[in-house]
Amino acid sequence: MPMPMRPPLIDDAKVLARYPFLPQSADHTRTLLSDNGISMEDLLSAAWLSDIRRKGDMRVKDSVLHDDGIEQRSGDLSTELGRMSESLSFLYAMMVACATFDERVTARWAEGESTRADKLLGNDTAIFEKVATTYLSNIRKETKAAEIIYSIPLTDFIELSPRISGDYWRLPNRPMKDGWIEMGPSTSENSQQRVARLIKERIREDLRNRCDERMEKIDEGFAEKLSEPVGAVLTILQSRSTLDFEAGEATRSDWPPCMEIAIKELSMGENLNHSGRVFLAAISAALGLEQEQCASFFQGAPDYNPETTKYQIGHVYDREYTPAGCSRLKMDGRCPVSPGDDPICDRPKMKHPLSYVWWKQRDRARQEEQENFKDEPMETANP
């Protein structure tokens, strides 16, 4: 069952800022932009909005780094500046996540925002029911033993509960009457918090759908303006130990062409320029290579000095430099690929060398899976 076509009216500016993911918040955000004369170009680059961008960056990074969601604490929502910061940082975070064109990032960002929403809604009695009827077809409550108990329609429960683990969420374990499922308290959460946990699933689904739509509309120029924060997010994602793949296990065949050409030039005694050297060290760090291995790439450089190289590489590793994105590499003359040279580089959503590694590994994993499937003996039914 989709979200209700006509969500209830919410016109409290504080609520719309605290929950900027709400469908009702879209008009509020547009009004903030219009009333303050802020264009999308301003949001991406205006100096006076740098704090908002910084907060938006942290929303994305927190969602990538932490499984328990984005920090719940909001700014001072009693002021217009505080409300603007909360709303626009959410918008900026969504744009950064979408500009990665990486489904891992958008999935983790949606998870982070929906987890934050779950925790906030579970304790917000003032607006809870309106938010609930924004995402559920209906909700009702009754008081039992001086405690409010919520019930939701069976259709909503059947759709959303299978995505949550635990015996509580299995239909036979929930009281049902006339098509309504009672969301009684558990040992650790009250009824409102149980419903909030269910709503989280629909918020996450809605955010992922919105990301998919927005990614279709992002053009090359817009993505290039976000290349720096996008690169930072991809670097963090690559360093996580719980990724779909281990970055440190990337084989030589997985490395992007821009990394390979830098290594090749150095091995041939060519003098790699500064941007090329920084990029090579930064992407080596992001891929989990040891500093000694990275240093070995530079041994053929005409000005090679072991101590200087060790110091400079250590500086890049310690400061966790972000590898340059594709657009920046092209500007610096560090992209060796022309259209048609590499099918992965030709993909519209390939905007960063770290994405190349993931695409390469994913394609290889799918190919191996298909080959294994072909090798499996066919089962025949008994006569």
Side-chain angles (χ1 to χ4, degrees):
M1 177 177 290
M3 290 169 51
M5 294 293 293
R6 294 183 179 180
L9 175 65
I10 299 177
D11 54 10
D12 187 326
K14 292 182 182 179
V15 172
L16 297 174
R18 182 179 298 112
Y19 303 109
F21 53 83
L22 289 170
Q24 300 94 319
S25 296
D27 286 340
H28 173 69
T29 301
R30 282 191 287 267
T31 299
L32 280 174
L33 293 169
S34 176
D35 289 351
N36 291 279
I38 301 173
S39 65
M40 280 296 149
E41 183 71 26
D42 294 330
L43 186 57
L44 299 185
S45 58
W48 70 281
L49 295 172
S50 60
D51 286 344
I52 287 176
R53 289 193 295 274
R54 191 176 300 110
K55 185 171 184 176
D57 283 336
M58 288 308 303
R59 292 183 88 123
V60 184
K61 291 175 181 177
D62 280 352
S63 65
V64 171
L65 281 170
H66 305 302
D67 294 328
D68 55 353
I70 297 170
E71 185 180 5
Q72 295 182 58
R73 183 171 55 84
S74 302
D76 183 3
L77 301 182
S78 64
T79 67
E80 183 178 353
L81 180 60
R83 295 191 293 273
M84 183 171 72
S85 176
E86 197 68 21
S87 296
L88 298 190
S89 67
F90 170 83
L91 175 60
Y92 182 79
M94 177 185 283
M95 292 193 296
V96 171
C98 293
T100 66
F101 295 105
D102 192 313
E103 60 191 33
R104 297 169 300 163
V105 175
T106 55
R108 290 199 65 84
W109 174 75
E111 172 68 23
E113 290 286 352
S114 59
T115 299
R116 175 182 183 271
D118 173 16
K119 295 174 181 177
L120 288 174
L121 285 172
N123 297 293
D124 193 343
T125 56
I127 198 65
F128 174 73
E129 290 173 28
K130 278 195 174 182
V131 174
T133 51
T134 297
Y135 293 99
L136 302 174
S137 59
N138 208 343
I139 190 171
R140 69 183 186 185
K141 65 180 179 180
E142 57 182 319
T143 302
K144 293 184 177 181
E147 185 175 7
I148 294 177
I149 305 296
Y150 287 99
S151 296
I152 66 169
L154 173 63
T155 50
D156 290 290
F157 187 85
I158 288 177
E159 179 187 352
L160 300 174
S161 63
R163 309 174 193 178
I164 310 174
S165 61
D167 292 340
Y168 178 96
W169 303 101
R170 305 289 73 84
L171 183 59
N173 297 332
R174 299 264 43 82
M176 180 175 66
K177 182 179 180 181
D178 299 328
W180 287 82
I181 300 296
E182 183 178 295
M183 303 295 291
S186 66
T187 55
S188 59
E189 294 184 317
N190 60 32
S191 180
Q192 177 176 324
Q193 291 167 331
R194 294 277 84 182
V195 178
R197 177 62 185 87
L198 203 64
I199 293 172
K200 171 193 170 179
E201 297 303 312
R202 186 149 281 160
I203 294 173
R204 177 171 55 189
E205 178 185 44
D206 179 50
L207 289 177
R208 293 202 65 176
N209 290 338
R210 287 159 67 178
C211 281
D212 290 342
E213 293 174 3
R214 189 173 288 271
M215 283 193 290
E216 294 295 327
K217 300 176 182 178
I218 293 179
D219 58 26
E220 185 82 21
F222 189 87
E224 287 181 6
K225 293 174 183 177
L226 288 167
S227 60
E228 185 175 342
V230 162
V233 170
L234 289 174
T235 299
I236 292 173
L237 180 66
Q238 200 82 339
S239 68
R240 279 182 54 91
S241 60
T242 55
L243 290 176
D244 296 336
F245 63 93
E246 290 289 346
E249 295 178 0
T251 65
R252 183 73 181 253
S253 63
D254 297 328
W255 295 354
C258 44
M259 181 180 181
E260 284 286 6
I261 193 64
I263 296 171
K264 181 179 179 180
E265 289 176 3
L266 287 168
S267 68
M268 295 175 64
E270 297 183 20
N271 191 15
L272 193 65
N273 63 21
H274 176 72
S275 59
R277 295 185 182 211
V278 172
F279 166 73
L280 180 55
I283 196 165
S284 296
L287 290 175
L289 303 184
E290 296 293 337
Q291 293 190 35
E292 291 76 11
Q293 183 177 358
C294 179
S296 70
F297 298 149
F298 292 86
Q299 290 179 4
D303 59 349
Y304 175 70
N305 180 291
E307 292 302 319
T308 302
T309 300
K310 180 180 179 181
Y311 170 79
Q312 291 175 340
I313 289 175
H315 181 78
V316 172
Y317 271 64
D318 292 343
R319 297 292 183 89
E320 298 181 349
Y321 276 39
T322 299
C326 296
S327 60
R328 182 67 191 182
L329 290 169
K330 291 175 182 177
M331 290 175 58
D332 292 340
R334 297 306 317 160
C335 177
V337 179
S338 299
D341 288 348
D342 191 307
I344 294 180
C345 291
D346 286 340
R347 292 177 180 176
K349 296 181 179 181
M350 238 304 299
K351 303 297 181 184
H352 199 279
L354 292 177
S355 294
Y356 183 98
V357 179
W358 181 71
W359 281 109
K360 196 71 176 283
Q361 291 187 332
R362 195 186 75 161
D363 288 352
R364 186 175 66 250
R366 287 181 173 179
Q367 183 178 358
E368 291 174 354
E369 183 178 341
Q370 291 174 355
E371 291 174 354
N372 291 337
F373 179 77
K374 291 178 182 177
D375 292 339
E376 290 181 358
M378 295 286 291
E379 293 186 2
T380 56
N382 294 324

